[in-house]
Amino acid sequence: MALDRWIALAFIALVCVYGYAAFFTMDDSLPPILRRNPIWPSTFPKILTILGLIVGLIVLFTPKPGGPKPAKDGAIDLTRLGDYHIWQAGALLVLMVAYALTLRPLGFVGSTIGFLVLGSVLLGERRIHILLPVAGIAVGSIWYLVQEVLGIFLRPWPAMFM
């Protein structure tokens, strides 16, 4: 079975778990008066479940066109998957998880600058003297827009500094 069909099968399994939660567990805690409403909190997840199943089944059961085709310029060749930088993609995923876990202990500024700098170095940027000020300006600008303009509290520093 081709890689896209395996991904579609995994997607269908994930959608089934999501659908079970949407159809059978989300509305159990609703008060009796809200059970008469035409739209419940689980309405949108139910729609997403049905659409996800339809898309997954279409991908799973659509016949592939016959015969091998020449690879397009820039297309990923699955027979040479080891030649690509898979470790960089995996390391970026690990770095994203680490970023999410360090938001509270390090604060927004520290964890975001760390994520931007480490991610850029991981992808090949070597000019640290340019990278640090750009990351600092970007993080400061985003924090200012969220905190001051939008009025959403965003802890910039760790709790011990505030």
Side-chain angles (χ1 to χ4, degrees), residues 16-30:
C16 286
V17 171
Y18 183 70
Y20 177 79
F23 279 95
F24 298 111
T25 63
M26 286 183 80
D27 297 326
D28 291 341
S29 63
L30 279 177

Side-chain angles (χ1 to χ4, degrees), residues 143 145-155:
W143 177 82
L145 286 174
V146 170
Q147 176 79 23
E148 302 299 328
V149 176
L150 295 176
I152 300 170
F153 176 71
L154 187 60
R155 179 175 297 170

Side-chain angles (χ1 to χ4, degrees), residues 61-142:
F61 292 118
T62 301
K64 292 282 242 181
K69 305 229 177 189
K72 294 179 187 170
D73 202 21
I76 295 176
D77 184 10
L78 295 178
T79 60
R80 297 183 20 216
L81 201 56
D83 295 343
Y84 299 109
H85 299 287
I86 301 291
W87 67 272
Q88 281 183 330
L92 274 177
L93 288 173
V94 169
L95 192 60
M96 287 180 204
V97 171
Y99 171 70
L101 294 175
T102 59
L103 268 172
R104 284 189 189 266
L106 297 180
F108 176 76
V109 173
S111 61
T112 306
I113 287 178
F115 173 74
L116 290 175
V117 169
L118 290 175
S120 298
V121 168
L122 180 69
L123 293 176
E125 180 59 48
R126 298 292 180 246
R127 295 177 290 183
I128 302 295
H129 65 281
I130 295 175
L131 183 61
L132 286 174
V134 168
I137 291 170
V139 169
S141 302
I142 292 170

